[in-house]
Amino acid sequence: MQITIKLNGKQVTADVAPDMNLLNFVRSQGCYSVKCGCETSNCGLCTLWMDGKPVLSCSILAARADGHEIVTMEGCQEEAAEFGAFLADQGAEQCGFCSPGFIMNVLALFREYEDPTEEEIKEYLAGNLCRCSGYEGQLRAIRAYMAYKKGGESK
Amino acid sequence: MKYVNQPVRKKDAMSLVTGKPVYTDDLAPKDCLVVKVLRSPYAHAIIEEIQTDIAKKLPGIACVLTYEDVPQKRFTMAGQTYPEPSPYDRLILDKRVRFVGDAVAIVAGEDEKAVEKAMKVIKVKYQVLEPVLDFRTAKDNPILVHPEENWKALCPVGADNKRNLCACGLEEHGDVDKVIAESDVVVENTYHTKAVQQTMMETFRTYTTMDTYGRLNVISSTQVPFHVRRILSNALDIPKSKIRVVKPRIGGGFGAKQTVVAEVYPAIVTLKTGRPAKIIYTREESLTASTPRHEMEVKVRIGATKDGHIRGIEVKTLSNTGAYGEHGPTTVGLSGHKSIPLYSKAEAFRFQYDVVYTNRMSAGAYRGYGATQGIFAVESAINELAVKLGMDPVALREMNLTREGDVMHGYYGETAGSCHLDRCLERTADMIGWKEKYPRRVMPDGKIRSVGIAMAMQGSGISNVDTGAVSIKINDDGFYSLSIGASDMGTGCDTILAQMAADCLDCSVDEIIVHGVDTDISPYDSGSYASSTTYVTGMATVKACQTLVDKMKAYGAEKLGCDAKDVEFDGEKVYCLKDEKRSISRKDLGNEAMCAAHNALYATEAFSSPISPPPFMAGAVEIEVDPETGSVEVLDYAAVVDCGTVVNPNLAKVQVEGGLVQGIGMALFEEITYDEKGYVAENSLMQYKIPTRLDMGRLRVEFDSSYEQTGPFGAKSIGEIVINTPAPAIAHAVYNATGLRFTELPITPEKVAMGLIKE
C-alpha cells in the first residue's frame, strides 16, 4: 500500500507492506538513529515524534503514520547535539545505543514541561531503558542542561 | 598528568548522542541476505530426518543448511586465548540438539518474510530424549549431554564428557578442616544464584561479505575480534588468513559478546553463497539462545574465634554451564579466587568445584564472571557470622579484611600491593549512616528501613595470559595515530588510552586519533574482558609511547647533529640539552619522516602481566521493606571503589553506577526460570525485567584510590567489580529488616511476603 509521510520535513511517498512497522519504515528511509531493542514496546529505543509527540515506532504500523508528520533524530540534529553534549560531559552515553530514543524523549519532556521536578523527569522517562549507565548520569546531564537553559550556568 | 584523571569527553560521544549510523546493522550492505536460525523445540533430541527441499525452492531463498552441510570439527564459541580452557564441544549445526533453542538449521534469503516462510516448511523428525535439567543431578547422570567421541578438552581443567563434567578442581592452603573444627563459631550455608542475562541493548549481530581478495570479512558486534577470527577458522575449517574481523561501535556487551554467539551463521552463508549476509538476533533469541551468567550453588563454611578472628574459609561451588562449556572452567574459579582473598588473614582455606553440563541454555561470560556468585555467598556468610558472634558486621570486616601488603593465599599467593579496602569500607559505612541506621528503623507507616553491607574484589586482566599490544605513529604535521586491538564497547577505552598516550607524549588528547579494531590492521589484543583493558592495554600504551619518544629523540638528534643522549623531547619539539636553541618541532619531525626517511617513527609494544592486581570496593544499601506486600525498595546505595588511579572520573563513575544497577536487578528482579520441558519463561523484556530508572533509588559513588605500581599511571581495573556488592548487601538489608535469610536470588516481593507469613 502507498503512504505519504512528512518525514523530517520532507514529503515521502512509498509503497509499504501492510504489516510494516514505523520503525522499519524510517530505517528503510535512512533514519538509522532509530534503534530496536526489544520488539515488545518495553525499551524505548525506537522513540520518535509523531505529530510532535513521542511514540514507540516498533508498535505503530507505517500505514498508520500515513498523512502524519514524523521526526527522528536525523530531523533535529541541533537540538540533539545541544542536549547530547551534556550527556557526553557526564560520560553517560556509554555504548550510545539507547541514546537517540532517550534524547528524543528528553526533548519531548522539555516541550511538555518547562521546569519538571525530579519525579516528573523519572516518570516521563521510565520507559527508556539503559543497561550501561545506571541512569544516575543521565539525570545529572538533565539537571545540568536545565541549569544551562535557565542561564544559571554557562556551558 | 594533564589528561589522566580528567573527565575527558569520549571521542565518539557526539556521534553516539546525535544518532549517527555507526553500529553493525546501520552499516550492513542493503542487499545482505537475511539469516535466521531454526531452533529446537526440545531440550534434548536427535534429529532423525530433516527435509529442506520445499524450503529451498521457495522464492527468495538463497540457502538452507543443516548438520549435513557443516564441518565436523568441534570448537568452542568462548572468546578466550588459545588453547582455550573451554572444551571443544560444538558444531555449527549438530545432529544432537541439547537445549530448547539449540540451532537446527540455517536459512538465508532476500528478506525476512521469505526466510520466515521457509523456516515454517522445514520438516524435522526428532527422536526426543530425556533431558538433564537439574544441575544438582547432572554429574555422573546416565543421560549424557555430550556423549560424542570427538568432544575434547584442550587444557587440563578436570573435564570428562562421560560424567557430564565440564571442569572440576580443588585448591587449598593449610588444614581447613582442622582450623574450622578448632573454631569457636562456625557458619555454614548454601547459596544459589540463578542464570541472569547481560541484556545489552543491542542484541547479538554480525554481517559478513567476501572482499576483493576472496577473504571472508566479518563485521561484528564483539568484544573479542581476534578470538572471533580463530573461532570462525575452527568452526568453518578455513585458514585464519582467510578471515578479517572488524568491530564497529557496539551497543553494550557486559561479557555476552565475549562469546561468538551469532557470527558463525552469516559466515557460513557467505562462504556457501558468496553473498553478503547478516544476522540480527531478536530479543527473544537473545534471551533464550544466548550466553547468560552461570547458575551456581555455593556452599560456604567459615570458622572464627569468639572474638571475631576468621580462621578458615571453605567454598564449594557447583556451576551449571548448560548445553555447552563456554567459559565453564574459568568462571567457576573466580567464585573462590575473588571471594576467599577478601579475608586473607584466615589461616586456611579450601576451594573445590564442579562444573556440569545440563540441557539448558549454554552459560557464558557476564560482568563479574563467577566472582559475583562467590561474593554473594561468602559476603552473606560473613554477615551471618556477625550475627552469630553478636558483632557489628562492619567491625567484623575491619578486623579481618585484606590490607595493603597482605599475602592473599586464595589468590595465587599474590600480595595486595595496592589496597584501600579498609578505607573504602570505613567511608562507605559513613556515607550510608551505618552507625545511626544499623540494623533497622520502623517508620510511622509500618514500613521498615534497614541497611546492608558487602565488600568485593576482582582482577585486572588474566595474569600470564592476557596480552595487549598497541601501535603509535607520528604523522605529517605531527599528529599521532594510536592503534589498539582492545574493543571499545561503550566503556570508553579508545578515549582513556588516548588520555594516557597524551600524557606520555605531552600533547593534547585531540592530537591523537584512535583506530578501533580491525584484525587486518590492529596490533593483537586478547580483547575487552576480564577487566583487562585499562591495566593491560594501558601499560602497552605507556610502553609504546615511550618507545616512540625514544625514536623521535634519536631521529631529532640525527637531524640536529647531536648525540641522542643529549636531546630531550618536551611534547612540542626535540631540542639539544647543551644548546636549547637547536631544536626540531614535532610538526617538522612528522613531515620529515615522510620524505627520504630511513626510519619509521612508529612504535609497537605489547604487555602482559605476571600478576592481576585486584581493585577493591565496599557497597552499602538502605532499603525500605513493606511488610504488607513484601516489596523491597532501594532508597540509597553508597559505594566506594579502589580502582587505583582513576583514569577518567566520569567514565569510571558511570561504570560503577551501571554495575550497581545491574547488581540491583540481579538481587531483586532478574531471573531465568525453566519449565519441566526446559522452556525459558522469560523470553522478552516484558517478563525479563531489568531495572528502570524508578527502581534504583539514589546512587552515591566515591573513589579511594591506592596506587598500583605495576599499572599505567597507578591504575587497576573498574569494569567488573562494580556488579558484585548489591546482591549480598541487599540480602543483608532484607535480613536486618525482616529476619528472613535469603540464600537464593532474586529476592522477590512474593518470597519476602510469604516468608513473613510463615514467621
Side-chain angles (χ1 to χ4, degrees):
Chain A
M1 58 195 296
Q2 200 179 62
I3 57 169
T4 300
I5 289 175
K6 193 173 175 193
L7 178 60
N8 294 327
K10 282 186 187 154
Q11 291 292 127
V12 176
T13 300
D15 240 343
V16 300
D19 60 351
M20 185 185 226
N21 64 23
L22 186 55
L23 163 69
N24 287 331
F25 176 74
V26 296
R27 281 188 68 90
S28 76
Q29 295 294 317
C31 300
Y32 294 114
S33 70
V34 187
K35 306 292 191 226
C36 176
C38 73
E39 301 124 21
T40 51
S41 346
N42 291 99
C43 74
L45 266 67
C46 63
T47 303
L48 48 70
W49 302 335
M50 184 159 157
D51 301 329
K53 293 267 184 264
V55 295
L56 297 175
S57 61
C58 76
S59 304
I60 290 176
L61 292 174
R64 276 194 51 199
D66 183 33
H68 292 270
E69 190 182 344
I70 302 295
V71 176
T72 69
M73 190 171 261
E74 282 79 5
C76 59
Q77 284 282 292
E78 266 180 44
E79 254 184 291
E82 188 187 27
F83 173 75
F86 286 87
L87 195 62
D89 283 339
Q90 294 297 333
E93 79 287 357
Q94 286 284 298
C95 85
F97 204 69
C98 74
S99 294
F102 168 69
I103 292 174
M104 292 304 280
N105 220 16
V106 168
L107 297 177
L109 160 75
F110 286 114
R111 289 174 179 202
E112 276 184 55
Y113 295 83
E114 204 176 305
D115 191 15
T117 64
E118 194 152 311
E119 205 167 40
E120 283 166 338
I121 294 169
K122 283 187 172 182
E123 284 285 342
Y124 198 97
L125 301 172
N128 291 92
L129 297 181
C130 170
R131 192 59 158 172
C132 294
S133 74
Y135 306 110
E136 201 71 76
Q138 294 183 343
L139 195 60
R140 284 195 293 274
I142 291 170
R143 283 198 214 104
Y145 175 76
M146 284 169 69
Y148 159 75
K149 280 293 194 188
K150 280 180 194 162
E153 220 175 275
S154 62
K155 237 321 271 126
Chain B
M1 294 188 297
K2 230 166 102 189
Y3 289 101
V4 169
N5 201 228
Q6 293 304 310
V8 174
R9 193 188 270 186
K10 236 155 33 97
K11 281 183 169 286
D12 54 354
M14 291 313 291
S15 283
L16 303 187
V17 299
T18 53
K20 295 293 185 285
V22 293
Y23 302 91
T24 305
D25 193 28
D26 307 338
L27 302 170
K30 301 311 152 220
D31 61 346
C32 261
L33 290 172
V34 171
V35 180
K36 284 186 177 287
V37 177
L38 181 72
R39 298 185 178 280
S40 167
Y42 302 108
H44 196 190
I46 304 275
I47 299 171
E48 288 189 333
E49 200 185 330
I50 180 161
Q51 287 180 18
T52 58
D53 305 1
I54 304 169
K56 278 176 180 162
K57 283 180 199 146
L58 287 182
I61 293 303
C63 77
V64 179
L65 304 174
T66 71
Y67 68 87
E68 288 167 340
D69 304 310
V70 303
Q72 291 303 305
K73 281 162 77 177
R74 290 195 183 267
F75 64 98
T76 177
M77 286 182 172
Q80 298 180 303
T81 299
Y82 179 83
E84 300 97 323
S86 302
Y88 279 20
D89 55 10
R90 277 200 191 253
L91 297 174
I92 299 174
L93 296 168
D94 206 338
K95 202 169 155 59
R96 180 185 292 266
V97 288
R98 297 179 177 82
F99 72 98
V100 174
D102 209 353
V104 171
I106 303 167
V107 185
E110 303 301 332
D111 59 49
E112 208 165 320
K113 275 189 180 163
V115 173
E116 277 169 2
K117 206 168 169 188
M119 286 166 75
K120 284 187 187 135
V121 298
I122 295 173
K123 286 207 174 72
V124 191
K125 201 174 147 197
Y126 294 97
Q127 180 196 341
V128 180
L129 305 172
E130 199 184 326
V132 189
L133 291 172
D134 182 356
F135 73 139
R136 296 179 187 89
T137 64
K139 185 172 151 184
D140 294 324
N141 194 302
I143 302 162
L144 293 179
V145 180
H146 285 278
E148 61 274 7
E149 291 303 321
N150 62 351
W151 174 99
K152 73 176 172 193
L154 275 57
C155 300
V157 293
D160 185 350
N161 59 325
K162 300 293 158 70
R163 301 182 66 197
N164 281 335
L165 263 182
C166 176
C168 67
L170 171 73
E171 293 166 34
E172 51 192 340
H173 171 81
D175 188 343
V176 80
D177 290 325
K178 181 168 173 278
V179 163
I180 289 180
E182 288 168 4
S183 294
D184 302 324
V185 179
V186 177
V187 289
E188 190 171 355
N189 216 333
T190 302
Y191 305 86
H192 183 202
T193 54
K194 307 232 185 114
V196 282
Q197 289 283 0
Q198 298 88 351
T199 333
M200 59 285 163
M201 285 293 113
E202 183 199 39
T203 58
F204 301 96
R205 53 198 57 199
T206 301
Y207 77 83
T208 48
T209 61
M210 295 305 287
D211 72 10
T212 319
Y213 308 99
R215 298 167 71 231
L216 179 70
N217 281 218
V218 181
I219 291 75
S220 188
S221 182
T222 180
Q223 296 171 225
V224 287
F226 286 93
H227 296 332
V228 170
R229 183 171 70 185
R230 181 186 62 254
I231 293 165
L232 286 180
S233 154
N234 288 344
L236 300 165
D237 203 15
I238 60 173
K240 295 179 184 72
S241 60
K242 290 281 180 197
I243 303 170
R244 172 192 185 192
V245 181
V246 178
K247 176 211 74 90
R249 290 294 108 185
I250 75 177
F254 315 116
K257 294 169 184 173
Q258 196 197 337
T259 298
V260 178
V261 171
E263 285 85 343
V264 292
Y265 305 116
I268 193 167
V269 167
T270 293
L271 274 192
K272 297 267 182 190
T273 63
R275 294 190 51 189
K278 75 170 177 184
I279 192 162
I280 309 289
Y281 265 39
T282 61
R283 181 57 65 183
E284 183 178 350
E285 282 176 303
S286 275
L287 288 169
T288 55
S290 50
T291 177
R293 188 184 292 289
H294 287 78
E295 174 186 32
M296 288 187 192
E297 187 178 78
V298 185
K299 292 184 193 322
V300 182
R301 207 155 59 108
I302 300 177
T305 63
K306 58 181 179 298
D307 54 354
H309 290 283
I310 294 171
R311 297 197 55 200
I313 304 177
E314 182 182 39
V315 171
K316 275 167 98 168
T317 304
L318 175 65
S319 172
N320 184 357
T321 196
Y324 300 96
E326 275 94 22
H327 303 282
T330 38
T331 43
V332 75
L334 278 71
S335 72
H337 297 154
K338 304 290 156 68
S339 58
I340 296 166
L342 285 168
Y343 303 97
S344 57
K345 288 177 178 61
E347 298 152 52
F349 82 88
R350 181 188 297 133
F351 171 42
Q352 192 196 329
Y353 57 87
D354 281 332
V355 184
V356 293
Y357 284 114
T358 60
N359 292 109
R360 288 193 177 192
M361 177 174 19
S362 175
Y366 181 6
R367 193 181 213 170
Y369 203 84
T372 316
Q373 296 93 311
I375 286 171
F376 170 64
V378 169
E379 283 297 274
S380 292
I382 293 289
N383 286 326
E384 287 170 42
L385 179 64
V387 172
K388 227 170 174 176
L389 288 165
M391 277 182 79
D392 182 292
V394 174
L396 174 64
R397 284 183 171 84
E398 275 170 355
M399 192 186 276
N400 291 285
L401 55 73
T402 292
R403 288 169 195 269
E404 202 158 277
D406 285 354
V407 174
M408 299 174 285
H409 292 290
Y411 191 61
Y412 315 106
E414 281 187 23
T415 301
S418 58
C419 175
H420 283 187
L421 180 57
D422 49 346
R423 296 164 56 144
C424 291
L425 178 70
E426 188 187 346
R427 177 67 188 139
T428 303
D430 278 351
M431 281 169 73
I432 206 77
W434 190 263
K435 286 197 177 96
E436 307 81 58
K437 291 177 180 170
Y438 174 75
R440 82 180 73 77
R441 294 170 298 158
V442 179
M443 308 310 286
D445 60 2
K447 292 183 181 172
I448 307 160
R449 289 193 178 181
S450 64
V451 287
I453 199 157
M455 305 190 304
M457 62 182 279
Q458 198 79 36
S460 301
I462 308 170
S463 48
N464 295 311
V465 174
D466 280 347
T467 301
V470 164
S471 298
I472 187 151
K473 64 178 173 186
I474 186 167
N475 303 286
D476 32 356
D477 284 358
F479 76 97
Y480 298 100
S481 316
L482 180 70
S483 291
I484 60 170
S487 286
D488 192 332
M489 50 176 146
T491 47
C493 74
D494 288 358
T495 306
I496 63 138
L497 295 172
Q499 287 176 249
M500 291 184 198
D503 277 358
C504 292
L505 297 166
D506 235 329
C507 68
S508 150
V509 77
D510 295 329
E511 290 174 285
I512 297 172
I513 60 161
V514 184
H515 196 279
V517 194
D518 176 337
T519 56
D520 275 9
I521 300 164
S522 309
Y524 177 77
D525 197 289
S526 335
S528 289
Y529 59 90
S531 294
S532 63
T533 305
T534 302
Y535 179 74
V536 176
T537 314
M539 275 310 284
T541 304
V542 171
K543 279 175 74 180
C545 290
Q546 282 164 352
T547 303
L548 182 66
V549 167
D550 289 344
K551 285 189 176 183
M552 289 196 295
K553 278 161 70 176
Y555 197 86
E558 192 187 316
K559 292 275 169 193
L560 298 172
C562 48
D563 206 283
K565 65 178 189 309
D566 292 332
V567 297
E568 201 42 82
F569 176 64
D570 67 0
E572 284 307 319
K573 61 182 183 302
V574 174
Y575 62 93
C576 191
L577 283 167
K578 288 175 181 158
D579 177 6
E580 291 198 16
K581 278 181 200 136
R582 285 165 66 196
S583 69
I584 179 165
S585 70
R586 168 157 58 99
K587 181 178 170 178
D588 289 343
L589 268 177
N591 289 335
E592 291 195 20
M594 290 187 175
C595 180
H598 301 286
N599 293 305
L601 291 182
Y602 191 98
T604 302
E605 295 289 349
F607 179 76
S608 180
S609 175
I611 56 168
S612 174
F616 294 94
M617 74 176 286
V621 69
E622 183 177 13
I623 61 167
E624 185 171 87
V625 179
D626 183 342
E628 302 288 324
T629 63
S631 95
V632 175
E633 191 186 343
V634 174
L635 301 176
D636 190 12
Y637 205 103
V640 183
V641 187
D642 168 18
C643 58
T645 300
V646 180
V647 180
N648 184 319
N650 274 357
L651 298 180
K653 189 174 193 177
V654 174
Q655 284 280 299
V656 184
E657 292 166 346
L660 291 176
V661 173
Q662 287 184 5
I664 290 169
M666 179 182 176
L668 294 176
F669 322 116
E670 296 177 37
E671 181 166 25
I672 302 176
T673 51
Y674 288 83
D675 72 8
E676 70 284 357
K677 288 185 170 164
Y679 273 83
V680 170
E682 296 80 8
N683 64 3
S684 82
L685 294 187
M686 287 201 194
Q687 294 93 0
Y688 191 83
K689 301 311 284 183
I690 63 171
T692 73
R693 68 191 72 235
L694 300 175
D695 300 318
M696 27 70 66
R698 181 168 65 135
L699 311 175
R700 289 180 298 146
V701 172
E702 290 184 9
F703 294 96
D704 191 316
S705 297
S706 61
Y707 190 89
E708 174 52 44
Q709 293 291 344
T710 66
F713 299 89
K716 298 188 279 188
S717 83
I718 185 76
E720 293 187 274
I721 183 174
V722 292
I723 200 171
N724 295 337
T725 59
I730 290 172
H732 186 210
V734 171
Y735 172 79
N736 290 333
T738 63
L740 298 171
R741 185 73 79 192
F742 286 96
T743 57
E744 185 181 84
L745 300 176
I747 305 167
T748 59
E750 291 92 315
K751 290 182 192 168
V752 175
M754 297 313 282
L756 285 170
I757 288 169
K758 266 192 213 154
E759 256 194 355

